[in-house]
């Protein structure tokens, strides 16, 4: 079939032609904005899930919905930054949000105050004013100048929230990869958002991250579990997984046999990104107009090779020799969460000895801890890839400490 007509989109964060199985999250977001518009409180959302389940795609849909309701959208893909860089990211985006709420030539006193607070928020780490260029205001003394990220971010949100309320608009923060926030940054965000709820100001946040984010938020502030809901995205139920394949193909006059769909669900496990990859690969080998089980099987080696070379490989290549061995030992035990002691036994080491390696892999975002003492892969089917990429487990020898 013609490559140009291929309806599947195996790209990072690309919206699939048919988005299925996420109605609950979309309805929750719509309710969140609607209640805030009426001056009522509603819990913000932190969406969690493994890599490739569609978290970034969902944030993109939230953005479309927010813009359609005339909300101001502040987007940020979080990186591992120190507090200075985090202030820069927030300052630059809140500057844009403030100017979107009201052009500078029409600023009210409240908007001008918000600009002055924004200036204070950044002046301690940006004395030249490059992050707040064009605001043409003096820093607001006593606001956002405490040199404490939590207090300063709260002051900034209060000032911008008051401006948004005055203009009858809302501001929604759409933050991706929030597991990379430092504890101090996550705590500051949570406390600032808590103040928005207390003051009934129209600033809210919907974030996305790996499964450990719910635990991290709870550790940062005990009331986080009351401030947020934590919907989890996983694999699609078989009926939705099949729709994700069938609906785009139908628009091009192509259909699937029931046997082909069953095989596709078996191979992909229903994970959204994998469905797009398999659909794309199958389109390149099938003659159509009906895609059969034989077409799915013919496409499987190419599908697997593509995932190995890109989706999986880029993650493994970041690991050291010992980290790779730890991952491979986990894969030896299977795809389920594994006890640290069991992994250590496979490697012929002790849990204490391997504790730093395990912690490094968690910090890198390759593992997460679903419960105390256990770790699991953040990437679906990673265990299968590891067994292909590293056929034999080889544990590097222990390095002996040098003695004087």
């Amino acid at each position: 079939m013609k490559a140009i007509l291929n309806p599947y989109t195996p790209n990072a964060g690309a919206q699939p032609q048919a988005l299925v199985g996420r109605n609950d999250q979309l309805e929750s977001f719509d309710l969140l904005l609607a209640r805030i518009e009426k001056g009522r409180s509603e819990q913000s959302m932190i969406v969690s899930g493994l890599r490739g389940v569609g978290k970034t795609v969902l944030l993109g849909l939230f953005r479309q919905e927010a813009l359609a309701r005339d909300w101001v959208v502040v987007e940020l893909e979080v990186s591992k930054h120190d507090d200075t860089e985090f202030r820069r990211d927030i300052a630059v985006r809140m500057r844009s949000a403030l100017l979107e709420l009201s052009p500078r030539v029409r600023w009210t006193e409240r908007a001008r105050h918000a600009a002055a607070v924004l200036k204070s928020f950044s002046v301690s780490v940006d004395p030249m004013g490059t992050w707040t260029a064009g605001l043409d205001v003096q820093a607001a003394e006593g606001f956002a100048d405490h040199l404490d990220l939590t207090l300063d971010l709260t002051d900034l949100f209060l000032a911008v929230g008051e401006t948004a309320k005055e203009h009858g608009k809302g501001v929604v923060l759409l933050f991706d990869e929030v597991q990379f926030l430092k504890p101090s940054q996550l705590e500051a965000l949570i406390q600032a958002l808590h103040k928005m709820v207390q003051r009934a100001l129209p600033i809210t946040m919907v974030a996305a991250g790996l499964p450990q984010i719910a635990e991290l938020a709870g550790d940062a502030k005990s009331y986080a579990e009351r401030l947020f809901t934590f919907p989890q995205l996983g694999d699609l139920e078989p009926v939705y997984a099949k729709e994700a394949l069938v609906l785009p193909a139908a628009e091009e006059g192509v259909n699937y046999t029931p046997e082909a769909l069953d095989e596709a669900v078996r191979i992909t496990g229903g994970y959204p990104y994998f469905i797009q990859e398999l659909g794309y690969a199958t389109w390149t080998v099938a003659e159509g107009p009906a895609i059969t089980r034989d077409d799915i099987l013919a496409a499987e080696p190419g599908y697997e090779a593509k995932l190995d070379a890109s989706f999986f490989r880029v993650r493994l290549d970041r690991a050291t020799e010992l980290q790779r061995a730890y991952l491979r030992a986990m894969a030896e035990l299977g795809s389920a969460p594994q006890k640290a002691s069991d992994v250590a036994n496979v490697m012929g080491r002790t849990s204490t000895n391997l504790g730093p390696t395990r912690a490094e892999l968690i910090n890198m975002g390759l593992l997460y801890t679903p419960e105390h003492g256990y770790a699991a892969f953040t990437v679906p089917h990673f265990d299968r890839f590891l067994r292909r990429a590293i056929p034999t487990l080889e544990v590097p020898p222990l390095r002996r400490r040098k003695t004087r």
Side-chain angles (χ1 to χ4, degrees):
M1 293 184 286
K2 293 183 179 179
I4 196 172
L5 298 179
N6 195 324
Y8 301 102
T9 56
N11 295 301
Q15 183 175 329
Q17 195 163 317
L19 187 80
V20 295
R22 303 305 187 213
N23 286 342
D24 288 349
Q25 291 78 30
L26 292 170
E27 290 173 2
S28 294
F29 182 73
D30 186 67
L31 177 63
L32 169 64
L33 299 192
R35 285 185 59 83
I36 292 176
E37 287 168 357
K38 290 185 175 296
R40 296 170 182 167
S41 68
E42 183 68 18
Q43 290 172 300
S44 298
M45 297 165 58
I46 298 182
V47 181
S48 67
L50 303 181
R51 298 290 184 192
V53 296
K55 300 184 298 296
T56 302
V57 169
L58 194 59
L59 287 182
L61 291 171
F62 291 163
R63 174 183 177 274
Q64 294 175 22
E65 172 64 17
L67 292 176
R69 301 181 76 112
D70 202 28
W71 278 61
V72 174
V73 175
V74 175
E75 294 182 281
L76 174 65
E77 183 176 328
V78 176
S79 299
K80 292 182 179 179
H81 286 334
D82 60 24
D83 287 355
T84 296
E85 293 168 312
F86 181 69
R87 279 183 183 258
R88 175 204 63 200
D89 288 341
I90 295 294
V92 169
R93 285 161 177 80
M94 293 306 279
R95 175 187 180 277
S96 297
L98 184 58
L99 292 173
E100 190 172 343
L101 287 169
S102 175
R104 191 163 64 87
V105 294
R106 295 203 296 269
W107 272 355
T108 62
E109 284 302 312
R110 189 159 282 159
R112 185 167 292 277
H113 172 70
V117 173
L118 177 57
K119 191 87 165 183
S120 294
F121 180 79
S122 61
V123 72
S124 64
V125 289
D126 179 36
M128 301 302 293
T130 54
W131 302 349
T132 52
L135 295 184
D136 192 27
V137 293
Q138 296 296 317
E141 188 174 351
F143 293 90
D145 58 3
H146 312 288
L147 300 183
D148 179 288
L149 181 60
T150 297
L151 296 177
D152 293 349
L153 190 63
T154 298
D155 281 352
L156 177 59
F157 278 20
L158 284 170
V160 174
E162 292 285 1
T163 302
K165 186 174 183 179
E166 181 181 47
H167 287 80
K169 288 192 172 186
V171 178
V172 58
L173 314 176
L174 298 179
F175 286 6
D176 204 358
E177 303 286 4
V178 286
Q179 74 277 352
F180 290 134
L181 288 170
K182 291 174 56 180
S184 59
Q185 297 162 0
L186 184 56
E187 180 182 3
L189 270 174
I190 292 171
Q191 188 159 318
L193 290 165
H194 190 213
K195 189 63 67 174
M196 297 301 97
V197 173
Q198 292 174 322
R199 299 285 180 88
L201 294 176
I203 295 183
T204 190
M205 181 178 82
V206 176
L210 293 175
Q212 66 263 40
I213 187 56
E215 180 182 358
L216 295 175
D219 290 343
K221 279 294 179 184
S222 60
Y223 55 72
E225 63 186 22
R226 287 168 283 149
L227 189 64
F228 297 98
T229 61
F230 295 92
Q232 295 183 337
L233 297 189
D235 56 317
L236 295 172
E237 295 178 13
V239 63
Y240 291 127
K242 293 175 182 180
E243 284 184 3
L245 287 167
V246 168
L247 296 179
E251 293 189 14
E252 302 298 336
V254 174
N255 58 73
Y256 284 77
T257 66
E259 295 77 14
L261 292 172
D262 289 339
E263 191 65 30
V265 171
R266 182 193 68 79
I267 291 171
T268 63
Y271 285 100
Y273 181 75
F274 294 172
I275 290 170
Q276 296 301 310
E277 282 285 14
L278 182 60
Y280 191 93
T282 302
W283 192 272
T284 65
V285 302
E287 295 183 1
I291 293 176
T292 67
R293 181 176 182 272
D294 287 342
D295 293 327
I296 298 290
L297 294 174
E300 186 177 7
Y303 152 84
E304 197 172 79
K306 173 77 180 299
L307 287 177
D308 285 0
S310 55
F311 185 75
F312 293 128
R313 175 60 63 179
V314 295
R315 291 169 170 83
L316 185 61
D317 285 349
R318 296 162 47 206
T320 65
E321 184 181 11
L322 183 56
Q323 290 167 352
R324 288 160 64 96
Y326 194 96
L327 294 171
R328 181 60 179 81
M330 282 189 61
E332 192 78 8
L333 294 168
S335 60
Q338 303 298 337
K339 290 180 65 174
S341 58
D342 291 341
V343 179
N345 287 338
V346 170
M347 297 180 68
R349 301 278 182 87
T350 66
S351 298
T352 301
N353 179 253
L354 290 169
T357 301
R358 181 175 179 270
E360 290 162 2
L361 290 166
I362 292 170
N363 188 51
M364 292 165 65
L366 292 175
L367 300 179
Y368 74 100
T369 53
E371 58 181 299
H372 180 70
Y374 285 79
F377 296 117
T378 59
V379 181
H381 296 184
F382 201 46
D383 59 309
R384 302 181 190 178
F385 162 71
L386 288 165
R387 289 194 293 270
R388 292 193 298 268
I390 310 174
T392 304
L393 171 62
E394 295 183 5
V395 181
L398 277 170
R399 295 182 179 178
R400 297 184 180 274
R401 292 183 177 181
K402 293 182 180 179
T403 56
R404 294 183 179 179

